[in-house]
Amino acid sequence: MLKTSSLRINLDRLLNRIDRLAEIGAIEGGGVCRMALSDEDRRGRDLVVGWMKDLNLDVSIDRIGNVIGIRAGTEPGNPVLTGSHIDTVATGGRYDGNLGVLAGLEVIETLNEAGLATRKPLAVGFFTNEEGARFAPDMMGSAVHQGVFRVEDMLQVIGIDGSRLGEELEKTGYAGEAVTGTCRADCFIELHVEQGPILEAENHDIGAVEGVQGISWTEYRLSGTSNHAGTTPMRLRQDAGYVASAISVEARRIANSMGGDQVATVGVTELNPNLINVIPKAALVTVDLRNTNEHKLQHAEGLMAEFVTKTCYSEGVSLESRTLARFKPVDFDPCMVDLVADTATALDYKVRKMSSGAGHDAQMFAPNCPTAMIFVPSRDGISHNVTEYTEPEHLRAGADVLLQVLLGSCQGASD
Ligand code: GLV
Ligand code: MN
Ligand code: MN
């Protein structure tokens, strides 16, 4: 009789699926560009859904395009849910998000192969537009799934290329009919690459994630006056480019002066007309602020808002700002976190509890069902970069921990 605790995933099969999915939208350097609801995203979805069907999962697609494949349990009820996302940033790696979905499929295939039934149903999902790089906010599909946003509002969101999300979703063929959130989860466990340097630096194999830091995204549209770079005295300028640069420097200053977990990034600066001898009349700037502490995050937001208002006023530049994403820090369920840590230890992996710097679909589930995440190391802590890499043995470690955590959560695989 097979003991479920000795069951292990098939690494070659997992690697093969990672490679095959990474072929869709492949870009130079080994990375992937599969932005949410692009044609590449559609092709990636088709591939993964094909695998779900091959594994005999009951596949449903909801109105925001989240896809969930369920393996029935011996008893009815909400499934134990795993998964992540398969959209990427434009300069993405092959593991961010994809690992969690494909490791979920590998767990299902391992159970199928072993002929193991679980008491509770087990499901694997991928959630629309986790990255938020094309359509803000990030974690959109999982947020809609968990009732944070209304699907009708999200379908109206305009992307960075001027497209409307609902229309792009229709084009992919993944505008489903399932009501969002109909697949309530018994619990949610997401495997993901760390995307940071801690596990590697400390020589740990597994991170048991205790929570995710708060995220604040703001877009600033600055309007000044174009004029000649040579003839316009400095005191007469209304330079939108200058204000954009000052915002970037201030973001760094705020993060450095606050210290601790505070981080700040200006990821977008677009100048118009963007010519060497013309003072920019317009600028678009985005600011990404994150902190594990909500009060400190609010403090950083306040400092930034005050600075932008003051600088626009003194430069004679007008300002429009809007919040693109705002999520508070989230704590995961301590029992689930312990389950991840204990499972990793039982499998002889070196495990560390930690918080997540990146946003994840799991944070949308955390308020509504017991939730946790498993991290595996990222080489040099690099992510959102084509060189993102995780050692195969760490992928194995993460997927085996996921397998055992899911089995434990499905309570009583009948062996
Ligand atoms: C998503 O990857 C984010 O944390 O920005
Ligand atoms: Mn991700
Ligand atoms: Mn990402």
Side-chain angles (χ1 to χ4, degrees):
M1 198 192 296
L2 177 71
K3 272 191 74 190
T4 55
S5 58
S6 59
L7 206 57
R8 297 290 179 271
I9 62 98
N10 179 326
L11 179 63
D12 288 339
R13 213 162 45 195
L14 173 60
L15 290 174
N16 181 264
R17 284 207 177 99
I18 291 173
D19 287 347
R20 286 183 58 197
L21 185 51
E23 283 167 14
I24 301 175
I27 52 176
E28 217 177 305
V32 182
C33 175
R34 248 187 356 257
M35 294 189 92
L37 306 177
S38 61
D39 194 53
E40 290 77 19
D41 186 18
R42 174 189 65 75
R43 288 163 50 215
R45 286 164 171 264
D46 289 350
L47 184 65
V48 174
V49 168
W51 286 330
M52 286 180 164
K53 290 186 173 158
D54 292 345
L55 293 171
N56 294 320
L57 299 184
D58 181 10
V59 177
S60 73
I61 305 171
D62 69 24
R63 290 183 59 211
I64 196 75
N66 297 321
V67 176
I68 294 185
I70 303 184
R71 183 179 190 264
T74 55
E75 292 176 14
N78 289 334
V80 168
L81 181 58
T82 189
S84 191
H85 61 99
I86 61 166
D87 68 311
T88 72
V89 294
T91 55
R94 48 175 52 203
Y95 305 95
D96 178 358
N98 302 294
L99 172 63
V101 178
L102 300 181
L105 294 186
E106 176 50 36
V107 166
I108 300 273
E109 187 149 11
T110 302
L111 298 185
N112 287 358
E113 205 172 49
L116 267 178
T118 55
R119 188 163 71 78
K120 297 181 188 176
L122 176 59
V124 183
F126 59 87
F127 300 96
T128 297
N129 185 31
E130 189 272 353
E131 293 291 4
R134 184 179 181 206
F135 298 101
D138 49 353
M139 281 80 71
M140 185 188 282
S142 46
V144 169
H145 190 275
Q146 289 299 297
V148 177
F149 303 125
R150 283 165 12 112
V151 64
E152 293 77 11
D153 295 336
M154 294 300 109
L155 294 175
Q156 300 307 322
V157 168
I158 304 295
I160 54 172
D161 48 9
S163 58
R164 190 177 299 275
L165 188 140
E167 285 160 23
E168 294 299 283
L169 178 61
E170 287 285 345
K171 277 193 223 159
T172 64
Y174 281 86
E177 285 175 1
V179 176
T180 52
T182 40
C183 159
R184 307 307 311 177
D186 177 81
C187 59
F188 183 70
I189 301 133
E190 180 175 357
L191 169 64
H192 206 285
V193 289
E194 179 199 342
Q195 310 181 271
I198 295 169
L199 292 175
E200 183 183 65
E202 297 181 359
N203 208 17
H204 283 100
D205 308 302
I206 295 289
V209 186
E210 294 178 292
V212 181
Q213 65 182 345
I215 301 176
S216 166
W217 285 0
T218 308
E219 175 189 88
Y220 297 105
R221 285 182 185 272
L222 310 163
S223 304
T225 307
S226 266
N227 209 337
H228 195 291
T231 61
T232 316
M234 298 312 286
R235 69 191 155 75
L236 294 183
R237 294 182 182 219
Q238 296 171 311
D239 184 343
Y242 161 70
V243 178
S245 306
I247 289 173
S248 191
V249 172
E250 178 67 4
R252 174 64 68 96
R253 193 201 64 75
I254 289 171
N256 284 346
S257 70
M258 287 178 64
D261 291 328
Q262 183 63 49
V263 288
T265 306
V266 172
V268 173
T269 304
E270 287 174 14
L271 302 183
N272 185 347
N274 208 30
L275 295 169
I276 188 167
N277 53 357
V278 184
I279 296 166
K281 69 174 176 203
L284 173 71
V285 184
T286 60
V287 176
D288 174 323
L289 299 171
R290 306 195 194 197
N291 201 308
T292 50
N293 179 297
E294 173 63 18
H295 296 296
K296 290 182 181 166
L297 184 55
Q298 285 180 17
H299 180 63
E301 290 175 313
L303 290 176
M304 182 51 80
E306 193 185 331
F307 175 85
V308 175
T309 309
K310 207 177 67 195
T311 310
C312 284
Y313 180 76
S314 63
E315 186 67 10
V317 161
S318 64
L319 168 69
E320 270 175 63
S321 71
R322 67 185 176 119
T323 300
L324 296 179
R326 182 63 166 90
F327 301 112
K328 289 184 176 169
V330 162
D331 291 328
F332 290 149
D333 181 78
C335 296
M336 293 286 286
V337 178
D338 284 344
L339 176 64
V340 169
D342 294 347
T343 305
T345 305
L347 292 177
D348 260 346
Y349 291 122
K350 285 182 68 189
V351 59
R352 169 204 212 279
K353 291 186 179 174
M354 62 192 299
S355 83
S356 171
H360 294 292
D361 294 308
Q363 74 194 79
M364 297 303 151
F365 285 83
N368 301 327
C369 68
T371 299
M373 292 188 73
I374 304 162
F375 272 178
V376 286
S378 295
R379 184 177 66 191
D380 298 332
I382 297 274
S383 186
H384 285 186
N385 181 323
V386 295
T387 63
E388 177 185 83
Y389 182 74
T390 296
E391 295 285 347
E393 283 310 317
H394 284 140
L395 299 176
R396 181 204 297 282
D400 272 332
V401 172
L402 180 69
L403 167 67
Q404 291 301 326
V405 169
L406 290 174
L407 274 172
S409 304
C410 284
Q411 280 170 3
S414 44
D415 59 337

